[in-house]
Amino acid sequence: MTTSTQTDAPLPTHTDATGSFMATPAPVSASLTSSPLNSDAREVVDPITNWDGFSFDTRQVHVGEYADENCGARIPPLTLSAGYVFDSFDDGAARFNGGSREPIYSRQGNPTNAVAEQRLASLEGGTACVAVSSGQAAISAALFALAEAGEHIVSTASIYGGTRILLGRSFRRMGIEVDYVWDTDSDEAWDAVIRPETKAIFTETIPNPRNDVVDIARIAAVARRHGIPLVVDNTVATPYLIRPFEHGADIVVHSTTKFLSGHGAGVSGAIVDGGTFDWAASSRRYPLLTDSLRPGLPSLLDRFGPAAFAQYVREAVVNDVGPSLSPFNGFLLHQGIETLSLRMERHVDNSRAIAHWLEEQPEVEVVDYAGLPSSPLHDIAQQYYNGRTGSVFAVTVKGGTEGARAFTNGLRVFSRMTGIGDTRSMVLHPLTTTHASFAPDLNARLGITAGMLRLSVGIEALDDLLLDLRGGLDRVAGIL
């Protein structure tokens, strides 16, 4: 199995003083060494426009940027316009028939959002990206593009509670059925629920809230065997920790509200096309991709090749249903991505230290963090993440609901709120919030118990977070 690394550098070969993996610097790109050594000092070299081959840290800052032709602003401007002027009669026709990629209307795409789209596609290693209004919109758009009434989706059982609600309520109302696989290592379990009308498999790299990571390559092998695209939610991990396309995924979705934006200021989502699925060869029909949509016009697959699925999502779902991203939130997104690697390092460093510390506290029953040596999922965590399984995980305190209440109410730095992936640390009680509508037996099977809290660890100073958590646990001790 290929291990995912945090940058495009070679695999880490040494560790720092804390045991954290450190990547060897990547070689300098050829783009930086192509200028003649004896050129005229007055000659201005052309700026770099193709960032392929540069490191992750450099691409997260630069991919997608473009020169401002009005005043030379360094930051790509915020484009607040619903529509765009056509150069001519023929230009308008070309934009509508796919002959031109210039914008038509901001429901379909916006120059500000395009910066974030190109940047995220590069970081994930995809062919194209479509930004939408939220993470739920991203999941909906990706899956609605694949399945229609009378068809079927299969998902791993441990996924975000809001996604379970989406699949069980809205998708069911649309006539799309969903089945769940609990034992993801069992081929028999997958084969038992996959049907001829199954059109997608869905999973999360780091499931929210229990950090119960899955073997992505194994699930991808199941999908390949059945000729079904694998859709992976990479919200919690981000492409800094893992790039699902490298392990067999076909489509990646994000709630970019979370770690990619990073500051909790704007809601957004994204769908990234891996360009890897063979739509034409699949035994399951995807006619809106492979067939002509109108006489005389080639199919999306013929016109857009490995980026056909992304274009289909943009044209046939986002354009029709309308979950377009506000360009202001698109601006916040591409600004946030610029510091992704820096923030993720602090998020994960804090989380690993806190998970180890919590495991030793007498008021704690269990810590669900796959990177811990005590976790039954530790081998998978090491294989895919070098033990650094993000910063969203669960801790179960003693005392059941009353213990959870005492712990939550005793915190002063952690914010009591829904949401994850903020610079700020947050705490939530899933049983009475995100999972409150689920039947007791389902919550029990999912491991959502009365004393379990979800932590989203931010980038504050570790000592301050530990002191705050100790205060919450002292409140737990007081009721035991």
Side-chain angles (χ1 to χ4, degrees), residues 378-460:
H378 183 66
D379 288 346
I380 294 178
Q382 287 296 118
Q383 179 179 344
Y384 285 96
Y385 303 95
N386 292 328
R388 298 172 64 79
T389 53
S391 62
V392 177
F393 62 98
V395 55
T396 302
V397 299
K398 295 178 179 179
T401 300
E402 289 306 308
R405 178 180 286 113
F407 178 76
T408 302
N409 289 342
L411 297 175
R412 304 175 69 185
V413 178
F414 278 76
S415 299
R416 294 176 287 274
M417 60 183 293
T418 190
I420 59 173
D422 201 331
T423 54
R424 303 152 190 82
S425 294
M426 296 176 280
V427 62
L428 189 74
H429 186 239
L431 189 63
T432 55
T433 57
T434 56
H435 291 65
S437 64
F438 296 164
D441 59 340
L442 175 58
N443 275 327
R445 195 173 185 188
L446 290 169
I448 308 299
T449 63
M452 193 190 84
L453 288 307
R454 181 184 74 187
L455 301 182
S456 177
V457 178
I459 64 173
E460 301 96 336

Side-chain angles (χ1 to χ4, degrees), residues 265-276:
V267 178
S268 57
I271 307 103
V272 186
D273 187 351
T276 54

Side-chain angles (χ1 to χ4, degrees), residues 103-121:
I104 297 173
Y105 194 69
S106 280
R107 188 173 70 244
Q108 300 155 330
N110 174 283
T112 300
N113 297 345
V115 177
E117 290 172 340
Q118 293 173 41
R119 194 163 292 174
L120 183 53

Side-chain angles (χ1 to χ4, degrees), residues 292-353:
S292 174
L293 298 182
R294 65 175 186 261
L297 185 68
S299 71
L300 287 170
L301 188 58
D302 289 334
R303 285 185 288 148
F304 296 98
F309 179 77
Q311 189 64 25
Y312 172 46
V313 169
R314 191 183 299 278
E315 287 188 13
V317 181
V318 177
N319 178 67
D320 292 358
V321 182
S324 53
L325 177 62
S326 157
F328 182 78
N329 286 0
F331 182 84
L332 294 177
L333 173 56
H334 74 67
Q335 286 282 287
I337 292 174
E338 291 185 6
T339 58
L340 175 64
S341 61
L342 305 178
R343 288 183 287 102
M344 289 301 293
E345 280 294 298
R346 174 63 73 87
H347 279 298
V348 179
D349 285 347
N350 280 350
S351 297
R352 282 164 56 89

Side-chain angles (χ1 to χ4, degrees), residues 17 28 44 71 144 160 165 173 175 234 265 287 305 317 327 331 370 443 469:
V28 176
V44 179
C71 61
F144 281 148
Y160 168 54
I165 293 171
R173 290 178 60 236
N234 200 29
V317 181
F331 182 84
N443 275 327
L469 292 168

Side-chain angles (χ1 to χ4, degrees), residues 81 225 263 332 354 372:
S81 182
R225 180 160 53 86
H263 298 82
L332 294 177
I354 287 171
L372 289 173

